[in-house]
Amino acid sequence: MDLHIAGFAEANIAGVRTYQIAVVPPLAEQSLAMSETSTAFNATTRLVRLCADEPCRVAFAAAPTATSTSLLLQAGSTEYFGVPISSGYKINVIAA
Protein backbone atom coordinates (compact mmCIF):
# COMPACT_ATOMS: atom_id res chain seq x y z
CA MET A 1 0.00 0.00 0.00
CA ASP A 2 1.34 3.40 -0.93
CA LEU A 3 -1.56 5.74 -0.09
CA HIS A 4 -4.46 5.10 2.28
CA ILE A 5 -7.63 7.22 2.04
CA ALA A 6 -10.39 7.49 4.66
CA GLY A 7 -13.50 9.61 4.02
CA PHE A 8 -15.60 11.19 6.79
CA ALA A 9 -19.01 12.88 6.80
CA GLU A 10 -18.37 15.09 9.82
CA ALA A 11 -15.54 17.14 11.19
CA ASN A 12 -17.03 18.19 14.50
CA ILE A 13 -17.86 17.26 18.07
CA ALA A 14 -21.26 18.15 19.53
CA GLY A 15 -22.07 20.37 16.54
CA VAL A 16 -19.08 22.68 17.07
CA ARG A 17 -17.11 22.99 13.84
CA THR A 18 -14.06 24.78 15.21
CA TYR A 19 -11.76 21.76 15.37
CA GLN A 20 -10.49 19.54 12.59
CA ILE A 21 -11.55 16.27 14.17
CA ALA A 22 -12.96 13.42 12.15
CA VAL A 23 -15.91 11.55 13.62
CA VAL A 24 -15.28 7.80 13.40
CA PRO A 25 -15.90 5.34 11.90
CA PRO A 26 -15.08 6.62 8.41
CA LEU A 27 -17.69 6.31 5.68
CA ALA A 28 -15.27 4.40 3.46
CA GLU A 29 -11.60 3.51 3.17
CA GLN A 30 -9.41 2.79 0.15
CA SER A 31 -5.77 1.95 -0.45
CA LEU A 32 -4.02 2.95 -3.65
CA ALA A 33 -0.76 1.97 -5.29
CA MET A 34 1.18 4.58 -7.23
CA SER A 35 -0.43 5.61 -10.54
CA GLU A 36 -3.90 4.51 -9.38
CA THR A 37 -7.10 6.52 -9.06
CA SER A 38 -9.55 6.09 -6.20
CA THR A 39 -13.24 5.44 -6.60
CA ALA A 40 -15.48 8.49 -6.19
CA PHE A 41 -15.97 9.67 -2.62
CA ASN A 42 -19.25 8.95 -0.87
CA ALA A 43 -21.84 11.68 -1.59
CA THR A 44 -21.69 12.81 2.06
CA THR A 45 -17.89 12.85 2.39
CA ARG A 46 -16.63 16.26 3.51
CA LEU A 47 -13.22 15.40 4.87
CA VAL A 48 -10.57 12.94 3.67
CA ARG A 49 -7.52 11.69 5.53
CA LEU A 50 -4.51 10.70 3.43
CA CYS A 51 -1.65 8.62 4.85
CA ALA A 52 1.36 8.26 2.56
CA ASP A 53 3.79 5.35 2.87
CA GLU A 54 6.20 6.92 0.40
CA PRO A 55 6.64 10.38 -1.17
CA CYS A 56 3.82 11.00 -3.62
CA ARG A 57 1.85 13.66 -5.45
CA VAL A 58 -1.94 13.72 -5.40
CA ALA A 59 -4.67 15.44 -7.37
CA PHE A 60 -8.35 15.85 -6.44
CA ALA A 61 -11.07 16.16 -9.12
CA ALA A 62 -13.91 14.27 -10.76
CA ALA A 63 -11.31 12.97 -13.24
CA PRO A 64 -7.95 13.71 -11.54
CA THR A 65 -4.50 13.45 -13.07
CA ALA A 66 -1.58 13.96 -10.70
CA THR A 67 1.55 15.55 -12.19
CA SER A 68 5.02 16.52 -10.97
CA THR A 69 3.56 19.82 -9.73
CA SER A 70 0.56 18.35 -7.86
CA LEU A 71 0.21 18.45 -4.08
CA LEU A 72 3.20 16.73 -2.43
CA LEU A 73 2.83 14.31 0.48
CA GLN A 74 5.98 13.16 2.25
CA ALA A 75 6.58 9.54 3.29
CA GLY A 76 5.02 8.83 6.67
CA SER A 77 2.78 11.89 6.51
CA THR A 78 -0.91 12.11 7.36
CA GLU A 79 -2.96 15.02 6.05
CA TYR A 80 -6.64 16.00 6.14
CA PHE A 81 -8.41 17.76 3.27
CA GLY A 82 -11.92 19.14 2.92
CA VAL A 83 -13.79 18.19 -0.24
CA PRO A 84 -17.00 19.59 -1.73
CA ILE A 85 -20.01 17.50 -0.71
CA SER A 86 -21.55 15.44 -3.55
CA SER A 87 -18.63 16.41 -5.80
CA GLY A 88 -17.87 12.94 -7.15
CA TYR A 89 -14.22 13.75 -6.44
CA LYS A 90 -11.54 11.08 -6.71
CA ILE A 91 -7.82 11.08 -5.96
CA ASN A 92 -5.06 10.16 -8.38
CA VAL A 93 -1.62 9.44 -6.92
CA ILE A 94 1.83 9.21 -8.50
CA ALA A 95 5.31 8.73 -7.05
CA ALA A 96 7.11 11.97 -6.20
Side-chain angles (χ1 to χ4, degrees):
M1 173 189 70
D2 298 314
L3 182 69
H4 181 80
I5 306 165
F8 300 90
E10 293 290 332
N12 69 20
I13 291 180
V16 178
R17 288 189 166 87
T18 58
Y19 301 102
Q20 188 177 20
I21 300 172
V23 177
V24 294
L27 295 169
E29 297 184 66
Q30 302 178 53
S31 294
L32 301 179
M34 292 300 157
S35 301
E36 286 188 336
T37 300
S38 70
T39 59
F41 299 142
N42 182 299
T44 58
T45 296
R46 295 182 183 170
L47 181 72
V48 293
R49 177 180 183 252
L50 305 183
C51 301
D53 287 342
E54 60 184 81
C56 59
R57 295 205 176 255
V58 297
F60 293 81
T65 301
T67 68
S68 62
T69 59
S70 295
L71 184 67
L72 175 65
L73 296 178
Q74 295 294 340
S77 67
T78 299
E79 300 282 348
Y80 286 86
F81 298 94
V83 294
I85 196 164
S86 298
S87 64
Y89 270 20
K90 301 174 187 174
I91 294 176
N92 179 250
V93 59
I94 61 169

